[in-house]
Amino acid sequence: MENVFIDPFKRFIEKIAGFLPNLLTGAILIVVGFISAWIVRTIVTKTVQFLKIDRLSDRVGLGQILLRGGIRDPFSRLIGKAAYWIILISFIIMGLDALQIPAVEKLLSEFWLYLPNVIVATVIIMAGYLLGNFLGRAALIASVNAGVAIAGLLGKFVKFTVFIMAATMALELLGIGEETVLIAFAIVFGGVVLAISIAFGFGARDIARDYLDKMLREKKDEDDISHI
Amino acid sequence: MVRAVQAGFAKYFPDRKAILVNSDGGSKDGTMDVVEKLVIEDFQPFLISQRENLLSKIVTPYHGIPGKGSAFRTIFQVAKELKVKACAVVDSDLRSITPEWIDLLIRPVLDRDFDFVSPYYLRHKYDGTITNSIVYPVTRALYGKHIRQPIGGDFGFSGRLAEFYLTKDVWESDVARFGIDIWMTTTAVANDFKVCQSFLGAKIHAAKDPSSDLSAMLTQVVSALFMLMEEYPDKWKAVRATDPVPLFGFQFSVGLEPIKVNLERMISMFRLGITELGAILQEIVSPETFAGLEEAAKGSAFSLSDELWSRLIFDYALACHRKTMSAAHILKTLTPLYLGKVASLVQDMAESSADEVEARLEDLCGAYEKLKPYLIEKWQ
């Protein structure tokens, strides 16, 4: 009777005693992580401020892009925050790993495998956003200078096409509806082009003819001014 | 052009040693052969009886970045090596050059100790609109000298100035590709070289290249102008008044070919620019300037005032200085606004004589000069 109650209790105590060092190690790692992350954030933020990266980010238009995305922090603070979270998450993962629980270990190994894809996908999305804005603006200005009446529409088309392509690539990388996203993009893009062609060919042929007439006429009516 | 230069040296500098340099950019149309072989055998039709020194020639391809600036660098180097007293450069596609141009571009250097001779042309009142509405008034307001054609392309200069040009580290920059004309003028003025102008009469080029793009041309000229503002901020900030520079040559007037202008197209381009580029323009120009532009676009009687235009150009200079966005994007948005100003000037000058046109441009220059404190205040 004594063995029935005492032995499981002993084993439980032994397990707890065996687990406690791991728990303590994990807890210490997480606390150290908080402190390290805080120190690194301060150093990184101050260094970036000292290097005047905030002004540079404003100059290249990054500040405005972040503002449009609702992010009001200066670039230096964002970099500091990113460093903070990278350090903290790394220590939390090390802390959880130190617990040596099989289920947690399995989860962590899967997370490590997936993490590079998340980072690359984020970079692709950000690059697509910046490139879309830049090329959209270039297309808009070039269209206005060429006297195209639908310049605004062309600019937006270029901007969103680039962004959607980047988003498609990112989703494919993350393995989210790989084939579906690609096919959906191809159908939508192809559909838009086909719709424009049909509209120009049939529905809007008069508009197309007038537009081409106007373009040709304006070429003939160009000025003789020598601008230089 | 080569014959005019030969006749010019023979007629006006018969006792001087002269050399003609063709700095060629790799032309495939036989230009180098023509320059090398073309010789005036008989000077009698030009009423020139005596030629003590024959004109020597150097026909050479230039090295470096392709562009007019690199071609000029070769000429400066030849001038330095030969220790020349005076030098003149002329565009190779000129149709209106006469032997007198050589005299007018070189004699002020030889006889009056000037270092830089800028051209003064007789032009149709609608021609040279980038010069008239931007380059001339901005250069004048900034550096204080009334140089009417700062990007004329045909200049005279001393050997001393050619050597000075070579000391500048710009030959791998945009100056080598384009913008050499405004660079030469501004460098001479900002470094206190003695500057004058010569009246050359009409300037007629070969037929306009149909592929030449106004937007690209405007961007190149204005970017060179703004780049020089970055080079000499202390110089132009210190200039408080503007002065005329001596003008040589006999001024005459001739009837010029009428010019076709499509006002309706220019105004509609301006309105399209304001409608479609409004969001971008608000990042470039001040709120006051943008409000003025919107007002002008709405008005039935189209007009862009000189005050608004000069503020707009200074706002563009400030936006490029602050790097508000990509410089190419900033400058390319200027095209429809520039067409608006051209349309406004054409309307104003439709019935004006040559003197009235110059008076009208004086008003425009006055507006720039009045606004200069605004530019200095905002320039950090």
Side-chain angles (χ1 to χ4, degrees):
Chain A
M1 190 65 187
E2 192 178 309
N3 286 345
V4 173
F5 290 102
I6 301 289
D7 285 351
F9 184 71
K10 269 185 181 171
R11 282 201 297 274
F12 174 70
I13 293 295
E14 279 167 9
K15 271 190 180 174
I16 291 287
F19 181 67
L20 268 179
N22 294 348
L23 187 65
L24 191 65
T25 311
I28 289 170
L29 277 170
I30 289 170
V31 171
V32 170
F34 268 109
I35 296 166
S36 308
W38 183 80
I39 292 168
V40 170
R41 182 178 65 184
T42 310
I43 292 169
V44 169
T45 307
K46 297 279 179 201
T47 309
V48 174
Q49 279 171 352
F50 176 75
L51 294 173
K52 296 182 178 165
I53 305 285
D54 284 337
R55 197 191 285 180
L56 185 73
S57 77
D58 285 342
R59 279 183 184 178
V60 298
L62 199 62
Q64 282 180 332
I65 290 165
L66 294 171
L67 202 64
R68 279 183 202 157
I71 301 165
R72 297 190 177 277
D73 285 341
F75 190 67
S76 56
R77 197 176 292 171
L78 286 179
I79 294 280
K81 274 184 182 174
Y84 175 87
W85 283 107
I86 288 169
I87 299 289
L88 184 61
I89 289 170
S90 302
F91 273 88
I92 289 173
I93 289 167
M94 282 192 283
L96 291 173
D97 203 33
L99 299 177
Q100 292 178 358
I101 302 168
V104 175
E105 280 175 347
K106 187 169 177 281
L107 209 65
L108 284 178
S109 67
E110 280 174 9
F111 175 76
W112 280 121
L113 283 174
Y114 200 60
L115 190 63
N117 289 357
V118 175
I119 293 169
V120 175
T122 310
V123 170
I124 288 173
I125 291 273
M126 283 176 69
Y129 184 76
L130 293 174
L131 192 67
N133 271 339
F134 185 85
L135 293 179
R137 192 163 61 193
L140 170 66
I141 295 168
S143 309
V144 168
N145 288 343
V148 178
I150 52 161
L153 202 64
L154 279 177
K156 284 194 180 85
F157 179 73
V158 170
K159 178 179 169 176
F160 287 114
T161 303
V162 173
F163 185 67
I164 289 169
M165 279 174 76
T168 310
M169 284 165 68
L171 289 174
E172 197 187 341
L173 197 70
L174 293 174
I176 301 171
E178 287 171 51
E179 300 293 312
T180 320
V181 172
L182 203 65
I183 291 164
F185 173 71
I187 289 170
V188 171
F189 190 74
V192 169
V193 173
L194 190 66
I196 292 170
S197 310
I198 291 169
F200 247 67
F202 294 101
R205 62 184 168 190
D206 290 340
I207 297 171
R209 192 185 54 218
D210 290 349
Y211 179 73
L212 290 172
D213 272 356
K214 193 165 173 262
M215 288 285 286
L216 291 171
R217 198 171 57 245
E218 284 194 352
K219 283 276 179 220
K220 281 183 211 154
D221 291 348
E222 272 184 3
D223 314 298
D224 287 341
I225 291 178
S226 167
H227 292 274
I228 290 285
Chain B
M1 197 275 290
V2 177
R3 285 163 58 85
V5 172
Q6 287 187 46
F9 279 118
K11 187 170 182 180
Y12 295 102
F13 304 101
D15 54 343
R16 299 268 189 175
K17 277 186 187 169
I19 187 157
L20 189 149
V21 180
N22 170 221
S23 184
D24 197 272
S27 53
K28 304 263 191 290
D29 57 358
T31 304
M32 287 172 80
D33 266 358
V34 170
V35 174
E36 207 163 3
K37 287 173 186 161
L38 193 66
V39 177
I40 300 176
E41 302 287 352
D42 181 11
F43 284 97
Q44 291 307 317
F46 307 113
L47 301 174
I48 302 166
S49 53
Q50 180 190 355
R51 179 82 181 107
E52 287 172 16
N53 291 300
L54 288 173
L55 181 72
S56 308
K57 288 178 193 168
I58 294 178
V59 180
T60 176
Y62 64 77
H63 301 288
I65 298 169
K68 189 176 171 181
S70 295
F72 274 29
R73 185 190 188 189
T74 301
I75 293 168
F76 300 151
Q77 278 166 334
V78 171
K80 185 187 170 188
E81 292 304 320
L82 298 178
K83 296 186 171 53
V84 303
K85 287 197 171 67
C87 199
V89 282
V90 287
D91 280 344
S92 57
D93 65 341
L94 280 170
R95 293 287 175 268
S96 58
I97 185 170
T98 63
E100 283 67 39
W101 282 35
I102 301 302
D103 184 39
L104 288 161
L105 291 173
I106 286 182
R107 195 164 301 280
V109 179
L110 289 180
D111 292 358
R112 301 287 177 92
D113 277 341
F114 281 97
D115 285 300
F116 185 75
V117 188
S118 179
Y120 193 110
Y121 305 115
L122 189 65
R123 303 192 76 177
H124 190 281
K125 60 185 176 183
Y126 298 153
D127 263 346
T129 34
I130 294 178
T131 302
N132 291 349
S133 65
I134 302 173
V135 186
Y136 167 51
V138 170
T139 308
R140 173 173 155 168
L142 292 180
Y143 305 101
K145 298 287 179 198
H146 297 196
I147 298 174
R148 187 64 184 79
Q149 299 288 341
I151 51 172
D154 311 301
F155 301 113
F157 48 90
S158 63
R160 192 170 76 98
L161 183 56
E163 275 196 52
F164 183 78
Y165 284 147
L166 285 172
T167 63
K168 296 284 171 185
D169 183 22
V170 294
W171 306 109
E172 301 301 320
S173 71
D174 281 346
V175 170
R177 274 184 284 271
F178 52 82
I180 184 72
D181 300 329
I182 187 65
W183 180 83
M184 283 173 73
T185 306
T186 307
T187 305
V189 173
N191 291 285
D192 302 322
F193 283 91
K194 238 178 120 185
V195 172
C196 70
Q197 302 176 98
S198 278
F199 185 85
L200 302 179
K203 180 179 187 176
I204 300 163
H205 274 284
K208 199 164 65 173
D209 176 5
S211 65
S212 65
D213 171 24
L214 168 65
S215 187
M217 199 158 61
L218 183 66
T219 302
Q220 289 182 0
V221 172
V222 178
S223 76
L225 188 66
F226 290 169
M227 181 268 289
L228 285 158
M229 288 175 72
E230 302 287 347
E231 177 81 18
Y232 297 110
D234 297 334
K235 289 275 182 186
W236 61 257
K237 278 181 192 174
V239 173
R240 289 280 180 263
T242 68
D243 304 306
V245 297
L247 174 62
F248 298 112
F250 180 72
Q251 292 185 57
F252 55 90
S253 62
V254 289
L256 294 163
E257 288 281 311
I259 282 184
K260 194 169 67 184
V261 180
N262 187 343
L263 262 183
E264 190 193 336
R265 180 180 152 272
M266 288 182 186
I267 296 171
S268 70
M269 285 287 283
F270 173 80
R271 291 193 168 125
L272 180 69
I274 299 298
T275 312
E276 297 292 347
L277 301 176
I280 302 175
L281 291 175
Q282 279 176 299
E283 292 179 37
I284 297 170
V285 302
S286 64
E288 191 185 346
T289 308
F290 187 71
L293 291 171
E294 279 195 311
E295 192 66 33
K298 280 177 202 158
S300 52
F302 182 77
S303 175
L304 268 186
S305 73
D306 290 346
E307 197 275 337
L308 177 62
W309 178 247
S310 46
R311 185 182 289 273
L312 174 93
I313 295 299
F314 284 159
D315 282 344
Y316 267 77
L318 291 165
C320 285
H321 175 60
R322 291 177 190 143
K323 298 185 171 58
T324 309
M325 62 180 76
S326 142
H329 284 184
I330 294 175
L331 293 172
K332 280 188 189 296
T333 61
L334 187 58
T335 308
L337 311 181
Y338 161 76
L339 286 174
K341 184 58 186 173
V342 174
S344 182
L345 283 173
V346 167
Q347 283 177 335
D348 289 353
M349 301 187 308
E351 305 297 328
S352 303
S353 65
D355 288 342
E356 286 167 341
V357 167
E358 284 305 310
R360 176 71 189 78
L361 293 178
E362 274 296 309
D363 293 343
L364 179 59
C365 291
Y368 275 97
E369 286 162 26
K370 204 172 158 192
L371 264 175
K372 191 175 170 186
Y374 166 80
L375 175 70
I376 294 172
E377 184 201 325
K378 302 273 178 188
W379 190 281
Q380 297 293 326

